[in-house]
């Protein structure tokens, strides 16, 4: 059974903003996950195109925060904020047009460099190029993003008030800290301190999206202003903290992570001799990406829910002035105030690795993807175990597979129609709209 978090179940500590007297803002928070990010597009389509039919108006999305594939999706949605009911369809069209042969092109320089370094050789330029640490040539992805996202329009929309803020999360390679590049309304002048995260004001551009999506060993790291950055999902795959620090008090959080029940975990494979079968590198890499990129949300959501419970309990015990009094004391000792946050989490209702396995082994995939790439992908999914395709489900930039994920995202958002409506009703009520 899929777990749901309703607006009444979640809250968050606000270290940087005033209490509930401030304006109400709705944030769309998009997690990372490679091609699994197509799932988020389906959720966005339902929220941006179907829910407005219920309310008879466009619905506010004031803050957009993304990591990795979520950063790419977020930048596209922000760039088309002036066409709120069409932007998700425009994004879905881009995902459905992807070609795995165009995106996943091996970089021979990087491959040779990796083999040399594993053999103990010193890093050095090869064929006039300095290796950048990614086995996939990023030129295909760069072309897709350049054609799809007019980044300069984000500046216009923030300036015009159509969008309050947009951010992408990256990992600074030198320090391991999360660096959040954000473009926001100039009235926001408070962010707050954090031991492992910092904000850098920026006009979001292609380089920021590429850096956030630079999965280590897959896509090369990206230099920005003399520093080097890679996938933000290493430390912050679901950018809840940037959303709240940018002023949101209503969050729609979208993650492609399927929360399997404990009784659905597969048994460890055993050989005919009765000894355990040790997993291969593709299996381990897929599980590592699951652990690093997708498995942190639930603890965060539970912590937010508990904060909300504490605030509610305090008001029941001490009256409606409890939160204001508490915040005065917190500010007096140098901490930030607490503020309720309403949250709806939409997560994948199916195992995307299993969906990927089914598609790659199908006749449709054999017809769509041919040649060396098709054979290599089918070989990766050649076993009977769906577990082997977790890695592939991050990297299969195929339009047909993306379309399947988009459809699942729409279906899952529809299943949480009531919770999403409740969140927007609360936000609109706070605005007096």
């Amino acid at each position: 059974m899929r777990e749901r978090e309703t607006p009444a179940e979640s809250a968050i500590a606000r270290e940087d903003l005033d209490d509930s007297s401030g304006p109400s803002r709705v944030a769309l928070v998009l997690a990372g996950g490679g091609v699994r990010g197509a799932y988020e597009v389906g959720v966005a389509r339902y929220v941006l195109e179907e829910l407005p039919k219920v309310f008879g108006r466009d619905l506010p999305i004031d803050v957009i925060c993304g990591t990795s594939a979520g950063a790419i999706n977020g930048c596209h949605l922000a760039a088309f904020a002036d066409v709120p009911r069409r932007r998700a369809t425009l994004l879905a069209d881009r995902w459905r047009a992807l070609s795995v042969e165009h995106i996943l092109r091996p970089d021979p320089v990087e491959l040779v460099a990796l083999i040399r370094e594993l053999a103990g050789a010193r890093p050095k330029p090869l064929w006039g190029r300095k290796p950048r640490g990614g086995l996939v040539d990023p030129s295909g992805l760069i072309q897709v993003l350049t054609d799809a996202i007019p980044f300069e329009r984000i500046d216009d929309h923030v300036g015009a008030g159509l969008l309050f803020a947009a951010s992408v999360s990256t990992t600074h390679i030198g320090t391991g800290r999360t660096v959040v590049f954000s473009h926001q309304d100039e009235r926001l002048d408070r962010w707050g301190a954090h031991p492992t995260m910092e904000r850098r004001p920026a006009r979001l551009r292609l380089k920021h999206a590429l850096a956030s999506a630079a999965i280590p060993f897959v896509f090369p790291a990206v230099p920005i202003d003399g520093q080097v950055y890679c996938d933000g999902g290493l430390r912050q795959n679901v950018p809840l903290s940037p959303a709240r620090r940018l002023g949101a008090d209503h969050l729609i959080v979208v993650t492609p992570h399927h929360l399997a029940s404990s009784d659905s975990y597969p048994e460890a494979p055993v050989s005919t001799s009765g000894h355990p079968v040790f997993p291969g590198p593709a299996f381990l890499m897929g599980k590592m990406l699951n652990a690093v990129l997708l498995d942190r949300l639930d603890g965060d959501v539970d912590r937010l829910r508990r904060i909300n419970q504490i605030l509610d309990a305090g008001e029941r015990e001490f009256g409606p002035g409890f939160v204001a009094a508490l915040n005065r004391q917190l500010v007096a000792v140098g901490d930030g105030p607490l503020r309720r946050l309403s949250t709806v989490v939409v997560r994948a209702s199916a195992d995307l690795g299993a969906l990927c396995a089914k598609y790659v082994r199908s006749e449709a995939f054999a017809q769509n993807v041919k040649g060396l790439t098709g054979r290599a992908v089918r070989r990766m999914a050649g076993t009977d175990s769906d577990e082997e395709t977790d890695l592939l489900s991050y990297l299969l930039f195929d339009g047909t597979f993306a379309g399947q994920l988009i459809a699942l995202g729409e279906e899952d958002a529809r299943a949480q129609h009531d919770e999403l409506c409740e969140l927007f009703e609360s936000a609109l009520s706070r605005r007096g709209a």
Side-chain angles (χ1 to χ4, degrees), residues 304-376:
L304 312 186
R305 179 184 58 80
R306 290 180 62 83
I307 291 172
N308 200 37
Q309 288 178 336
I310 290 170
L311 297 180
D312 289 343
E315 288 194 339
R316 288 195 301 271
E317 182 69 20
F318 302 107
F322 168 77
V323 176
L326 175 64
N327 285 337
R328 284 195 295 271
Q329 294 300 317
L330 289 173
V331 171
V333 297
D335 288 332
L338 298 176
R339 188 182 186 188
R340 288 182 179 84
L341 188 86
S342 298
T343 306
V344 173
V345 177
V346 183
R347 67 169 78 248
S349 60
D351 185 332
L352 303 192
L355 288 179
C356 179
K358 182 178 180 181
Y359 170 62
V360 171
R361 296 167 189 158
S362 70
E363 186 62 29
F365 179 80
Q367 293 297 320
N368 290 341
V369 185
K370 301 179 180 179
L372 291 176
T373 301
R375 287 198 294 273

Side-chain angles (χ1 to χ4, degrees), residues 100-156:
V100 65
E101 299 101 321
H102 184 62
I103 301 295
L104 290 185
R105 292 185 292 191
D107 189 326
V109 172
E110 299 291 346
L111 183 59
V112 172
L114 177 63
I115 294 173
R116 290 184 74 256
E117 291 187 37
L118 290 175
R122 291 178 177 272
K124 69 174 185 179
L126 297 172
W127 297 293
R129 257 187 51 198
K130 186 176 181 180
R132 296 171 294 175
L135 296 178
V136 173
D137 181 348
S139 59
L141 180 61
I142 289 172
Q143 181 182 339
V144 168
L145 298 187
T146 300
D147 293 343
I149 307 176
F151 287 91
E152 294 80 4
R153 296 185 66 184
I154 300 175
D155 307 345
D156 299 335

Side-chain angles (χ1 to χ4, degrees), residues 40-75:
E40 301 167 352
V41 182
V43 176
R45 276 194 66 187
Y46 189 82
V47 170
L48 296 171
E49 298 180 18
E50 296 302 320
L51 291 184
K53 298 175 183 177
V54 177
F55 286 83
R57 54 164 293 174
D58 293 330
L59 294 176
I61 298 292
D62 308 289
V63 177
I64 301 176
C65 300
T67 297
S68 194
I72 292 172
N73 289 334
C75 286

